[in-house]
Amino acid sequence: MAERFTLPVLPLRDTVVYPGVAVPISAGRAGTVEAVQEALDGDRRLFAVAQRDNVDDPAPEYLYSVGTVVRIIQTHRVRGGVQLLVQGEGRAQALSYHQEGQAMLHAVLLEMDTLPPRDPEEPAFQALDKELRDRAAELGTRRGVPAEALNQLIQGVDEPGPFADLVAFYLELETPDKQHLLELLDDEERMRACLLSVERELARIDAQEDIQAKVQSELGERQREMLLREQLKAIQKELGEEEERDDVEEMRRRIVGLELSEEQRSEVDRELRRLERTSPQSAEYQVIRTFLEWITELPWNERTEEKIDLAIAEQILHDDHYGLDDVKDRVLEFLAVRKLGLDRAAAANGKKSKPEDADDEEITVGRGPILLFVGPPGVGKTSIAQSIARSLGRKYVRISLGGARDEADIRGHRRTYVGAMPGRIIQGMRQAKSKNPVFLLDEVDKLGTSFQGDPSSALLEVLDPAQNSTFVDHYLGIPFDLSEVLFVATANYLDQIPGPLLDRMERVDFAGYTEIEKLEIAKRYLLRRQRKENSLTTKELQIRDEAILTMIQSYTREAGVRQLEREVGKFARKIARQIAAGKLKKINAATEDIREQLGRPRVHPERIAEQDTRGVATGMFYTPMGGDIMFVEASVMPGDGGLVLTGQLGDVMKESGRAALSFAKANSKRLGIPEDALGSHEVHIHVPAGAIPKDGPSAGITMATALVSAVSGRKVRRDVSMTGELTLTGRVLPIGGVKEKVLGAVRAGIKEIILPMDNEADIDDIPQEVRDRIVFHLAETLDDVIAVALVGGDGVARARGARLAGATAVKGKKAAAKKSSAPKRKAAPKRKAAPKPAVKKKPAARKSR
């Protein structure tokens, strides 16, 4: 007598498991999950039995008594339950059911053995076996099973009884009919029953095909699609994929609501069809789904309505930033053009009369320029882009391109790669959720190049208004319109931007702030922000103007205000600590308080020389951190007439020194240099701060002045600084960075400045309060420079110099005395400006441009 044994019950709805067959099952009911867990903790066996009725809580009376002992082969946790793959092992009869645990059923079982054929070699039995296999193969073929898979399935089972179980499992029968086949223990009888069911199934398929052939012409495409979807839903219900397919339907509804072009919709629909055909357990399913989610989340036709009020926009710019008047004017010009285009387009759409002088052409809204903000760090390039977005009422997106070395950062990766994603442009558009945001490309000059491509070349299409309306990201593979995006790029070094990319952008220069501007910025913005961040009130922390100027002059060295804000924050934290400890109630900080809290000054800028010196001339330079003065020293010693240049000078600066020496030798008599002073002597020119690289042509007249002073014995005036390129014929050519250089010279205490004649227009860029304090001398030749710079000069150029703020007098008694006899200044002949030299990448390096 067979032994009895007990197993957890796996109740099945609308299916029957047969021995020898592997079946995927979705388990989600509490009792079923509990039974599966117990089986996993034990010998992985369950008693799989069909339900008589489709109920959620199967009691023993709803279960058949005959089922199949199955073994769990594989499990996969999913949302709401577990997916099982079980293998039938043998029939068993449940003698009784009883409940254990919270909702789990156990069954006391007795194994059931099948009855093999009495004579397997009997011709009638062999004919039955062959007929069943042939008709089963025909049924599989009619169902569309591939021939190779079908042959492998049929030939893989040699025994007649197990083959009958395999056929019974794949038959489309009602649950009671399948249960009847399971309970038939006689193999021959079960084979006959299966053959009968196969014949019925083939007859049904024949009839169905005849009917479909007759009505196919009457079914429209939409009706056919609905029919197929209903059939697909039934199949998905059988496979337990209803939740995943609900997601597909939701995706379909979202895609239908998108306004796509024919090309875009064709590609998206193709991917959607692939998603429907792909199993949710496939890795490809998630790849396709992620792509479609990106498609549905992009703003294909969603815009932010623009409401441009120039008065409000101007107020926003003034509230957010102090100074930067040229930049604000350019931004307001763009807004005015945009507003005019929007107003006239609205009038045309509303069929209102156009202005009398308007063109007959169709009125359209211009795309606007692509702006490039160039300037040193901390001057407000990024923040003014935010103000533009506020002024326009548009969304604002910022991406940092610093260090990007891969073309895929801009264009994205193709979907064939694992973990592929769109580029930063498309990511920013999804973040904006608008088709017309203000898009800031920060640090565009910091783009790198590697074997993975050149991202700056990928930006060419993005920043070209003629091309970006059909920008194709490698991940999307379909065009996306960027023509309505307002791109704003920022950079510190203009020479590090490739020429073709620079050509696509309109340059807006940001100069460094003057000390007065920094003082106002600190009072209006920085101090208020640091009070808030350090939990201080206006009454508790006040800083006098002279104290803030001390911070600016002695604790910071920058063109912007970032370091200044850090110093203000450091001071505020120290005051907050004292107030929190009860040592202080409030403070109105003076200069002494700044030095006490922040320690000794850490910045020591160059200051005006203490006295007039032979062979030492004062030049000017600027870097992205701001402008300053530098001293050029020249010394003459016995030797063979050579030239020594020291101070870590670049090639251009060395050439300026050689040109100065050649000019001095060629014009020694006119310059008052003894005939044998240069031929039998060696000249040494040195620029202090030897650890800092220096380069550029603008130190030419400074080197020449120091050289002439050293050789002739005449001292150089300490209150005069100069900048300009020198030619072999003595002409003074224009240079760049005039504003930054002048601001640095004023900070150092310089009173008079010599500039090339062709740089006269650059003086207008200098703030009025600075022009009021400086006398500018415009020089055409080195003779003009020598006349002003050397003590005892003839004053020719000094008579030309004038305070360009409206005054007519020139500082200095000597100039005043000669003013009446001095000739009127003639306009310098127009000369093509010399190209500006490349700026070194080292930000700390002095550049004598």
Side-chain angles (χ1 to χ4, degrees), residues 558 561-571 573:
E558 58 179 344
V561 292
R562 284 181 182 157
Q563 183 61 31
L564 176 59
E565 183 172 10
R566 284 192 283 269
E567 295 298 328
V568 173
K570 181 179 179 181
F571 181 79
R573 289 192 299 273

Side-chain angles (χ1 to χ4, degrees), residues 501-641:
L501 183 60
L502 184 62
D503 183 60
R504 284 164 166 77
M505 298 181 285
E506 180 175 338
R507 172 180 167 186
V508 179
D509 289 311
F510 282 63
Y513 293 112
T514 66
E515 291 183 358
I516 300 302
E517 289 174 334
K518 289 182 180 181
L519 173 63
E520 290 297 325
I521 292 171
K523 290 163 59 178
R524 297 187 185 191
Y525 307 104
L526 307 185
L527 184 56
R528 182 172 56 190
R529 189 155 59 221
Q530 290 302 321
R531 283 198 196 106
K532 182 178 180 181
E533 291 184 3
N534 294 282
S535 303
L536 295 172
T537 64
T538 305
K539 184 178 181 181
E540 289 173 334
L541 177 60
Q542 293 283 346
I543 304 180
R544 299 175 185 173
D545 290 359
E546 62 270 17
I548 297 177
L549 284 173
T550 300
M551 282 189 189
I552 296 171
Q553 296 170 351
S554 302
Y555 293 88
T556 65
R557 182 185 179 86
E558 58 179 344
V561 292
R562 284 181 182 157
Q563 183 61 31
L564 176 59
E565 183 172 10
R566 284 192 283 269
E567 295 298 328
V568 173
K570 181 179 179 181
F571 181 79
R573 289 192 299 273
K574 292 182 178 295
I575 298 302
R577 177 182 176 184
Q578 295 183 23
I579 293 176
K583 299 179 181 179
L584 191 67
K585 290 186 178 179
K586 62 180 181 178
I587 186 173
N588 187 9
T591 302
E592 297 75 16
D593 300 310
I594 299 297
R595 297 186 183 276
E596 179 182 351
Q597 298 297 333
L598 300 184
R600 61 180 179 81
R602 293 182 293 278
V603 176
H604 304 283
E606 294 281 8
R607 299 295 301 173
I608 186 174
E610 295 183 358
Q611 59 186 6
D612 299 340
T613 308
R614 173 186 173 184
V616 180
T618 305
M620 298 184 292
F621 71 94
Y622 87 97
T623 70
M625 304 306 294
D628 206 344
I629 64 171
M630 66 177 182
F631 297 105
V632 176
E633 303 172 349
S635 178
V636 180
M637 63 202 78
D640 56 358

Side-chain angles (χ1 to χ4, degrees), residues 465-486:
Q467 301 180 36
N468 61 11
S469 59
T470 55
F471 172 71
V472 178
D473 186 276
H474 287 160
Y475 181 83
L476 297 183
I478 56 178
F480 188 86
D481 186 4
L482 298 176
S483 61
E484 297 183 37
V485 179
L486 173 58

